Amino acid sequence: AQGRAFFGDVRNRCIWVRSAEGEVTRFSQPQDRLLGVFGLALDEARGVLWAGVSAVPEMAGFTAADRGLAYLAEYDLRTGALRRSLPMATPGGEHVFGSLRIARDGSVFVSDSASPVIWRAAQGATHLEAWLEHGEFVSLQGLDFTADGRTLYVADYANGIWAIDVATKNPTLLRPAEDTSLFG
């Protein structure tokens, strides 16, 4: 509504904002101690900017102790203050939180391109839950809901596009036309 655009910065571990006038400034603060910032999701109705952050070797200051760390960061859209961080309920393994989408109820869905999991942070949650883990997921990327919120589409770099029934969590791999590839 204010004409601002937000950008995640993996290398510098921060969030940038571009004003409607074109001025670019840092939105997050150094004391927030973010990891590499990948996916962002704006929830103007609730006054929140969500950031999916993950530790990767490409971020400044990466150490072996950072490997596998990932969480959601919730920012106050008006003040830029970090409200809270939501870790995974079951940490461990490799994780890259690349894409975020907000459901109608305000919960946040997160694709993990390093693990076969779609994570979810329910409204008021203190951690991320593994909403759907599926052995055929390879490298989950962008995701979005249908207008009615009943289906979640998720791009998988290696497999193509999954359609997931939100109520049953049943994933169906969409089949492209014979002369079409959805790889990548």
Side-chain angles (χ1 to χ4, degrees), residues 16-52:
W16 300 96
V17 60
R18 181 182 183 272
S19 71
E21 295 77 31
E23 180 183 4
V24 177
T25 56
R26 190 174 178 144
F27 182 76
S28 61
Q29 299 303 311
Q31 64 266 24
D32 299 344
R33 302 180 51 88
L34 294 176
L35 303 172
V37 180
F38 287 85
L40 297 173
L42 183 64
D43 187 346
E44 286 186 287
R46 295 173 184 85
V48 174
L49 177 68
W50 290 98

Side-chain angles (χ1 to χ4, degrees), residues 73-132:
E74 179 185 16
Y75 279 88
D76 185 294
L77 192 54
R78 186 180 53 78
T79 67
L82 176 62
R83 288 183 179 172
R84 62 189 174 133
S85 297
L86 292 118
M88 296 173 284
T90 53
E94 296 291 319
H95 303 281
V96 178
F97 290 169
S99 189
L100 288 67
R101 283 298 176 266
I102 300 166
R104 288 179 167 188
D105 67 358
S107 58
V108 182
F109 285 73
V110 183
S111 65
D112 190 332
S113 63
S115 292
V117 180
I118 297 170
W119 298 90
R120 178 179 175 263
Q123 270 290 88
T126 58
H127 62 273
L128 291 167
E129 65 174 317
W131 181 75
L132 178 60

